[in-house]
Amino acid sequence: YGGRIVSVEPLDSAFAALSARASKDNLWVALQNGVGAAPGAIDINVSANSYSSSVLDMNDAHLHAAPDSRYVGIQQIELTTVIHLIEQQHIDPAACLLKVDTQGYESQVLAGAGPVLDKIAAVQLELSFVELYAGQDLFDDHVAALRKRGFALWSLDPGISAPDGRLLQCDGLFLRPGGAA
């Protein structure tokens, strides 16, 4: 990809790796924040595998499928919103792919996009079929909410599965009709 990238990562260790990688690309900005419905401070549960870290409590279904995802610590992080990022980084929503990888916190991130979400070209979202994190919205909830905002589900990529083979989570790509090439 040859365009501009704005990446947001709240965890100290993951941000260090992201920042080092982004520093090699003049068009890649790395920010150490979480993203949610409103600015503020919040605690994030840090998992042993890092990428399962979440503001939400992890459910047994997740631990059973990925025992290395257990929480090993807590870190306080600063939250920002999608609206703030778009304004601060001078992002054109009509040319923006919003990728949300927040381990059950997707609804809060989308809420923090507010009316800007109606202008964003595409959204990539983690979609869970079972509750992996306490209180998270599931696949049908997100598909319905994004459909109401003018998006069409374009493609799905498998994510994690239970030991018995049941698909627990996937990534969904949502596009505005007429926006796909």
Side-chain angles (χ1 to χ4, degrees):
Y1 177 71
R4 188 159 177 257
I5 300 170
V6 177
S7 297
V8 182
E9 171 56 54
L11 296 178
D12 291 335
S13 58
F15 179 75
L18 170 67
S19 185
R21 190 161 180 197
S23 71
K24 299 173 185 159
D25 184 338
N26 291 336
L27 295 176
W28 192 351
V29 175
L31 304 170
Q32 188 170 10
N33 286 99
V35 182
I42 197 166
D43 287 339
I44 188 169
N45 300 298
V46 180
S47 72
N49 67 12
S50 178
Y51 51 83
S52 295
S53 300
S54 179
V55 169
L56 304 176
D57 291 331
M58 189 179 298
N59 284 344
D60 289 341
H62 192 296
L63 283 170
H64 183 65
D68 63 333
S69 66
R70 74 189 181 294
Y71 290 148
V72 295
I74 295 174
Q75 178 183 324
Q76 187 173 72
I77 62 170
E78 291 296 319
L79 289 178
T80 188
T81 64
V82 171
I83 288 175
H84 180 76
L85 289 168
I86 289 202
E87 291 171 355
Q88 176 192 46
Q89 296 297 318
H90 308 288
I91 297 168
D92 176 8
C96 174
L97 164 64
L98 174 63
K99 182 182 184 293
V100 183
D101 185 352
T102 54
Q103 308 308 315
Y105 207 62
E106 294 80 16
S107 293
Q108 292 84 345
V109 174
L110 294 175
V116 170
L117 186 58
D118 297 328
K119 299 174 184 173
I120 289 176
V123 175
Q124 183 177 335
L125 198 64
E126 283 187 331
L127 303 165
S128 293
F129 297 104
V130 300
E131 192 175 90
L132 301 175
Y133 297 91
Q136 77 175 111
D137 284 343
L138 299 179
F139 180 92
D140 291 336
D141 303 313
H142 288 302
V143 171
L146 286 171
R147 186 172 288 132
K148 284 181 184 176
R149 301 297 288 266
F151 290 95
L153 180 58
W154 197 257
S155 67
L156 296 171
D157 288 318
I160 65 170
S161 296
D164 65 3
R166 178 182 182 188
L167 184 62
L168 301 175
Q169 187 180 72
C170 67
D171 279 352
L173 178 63
F174 296 82
L175 301 178
R176 294 206 172 277

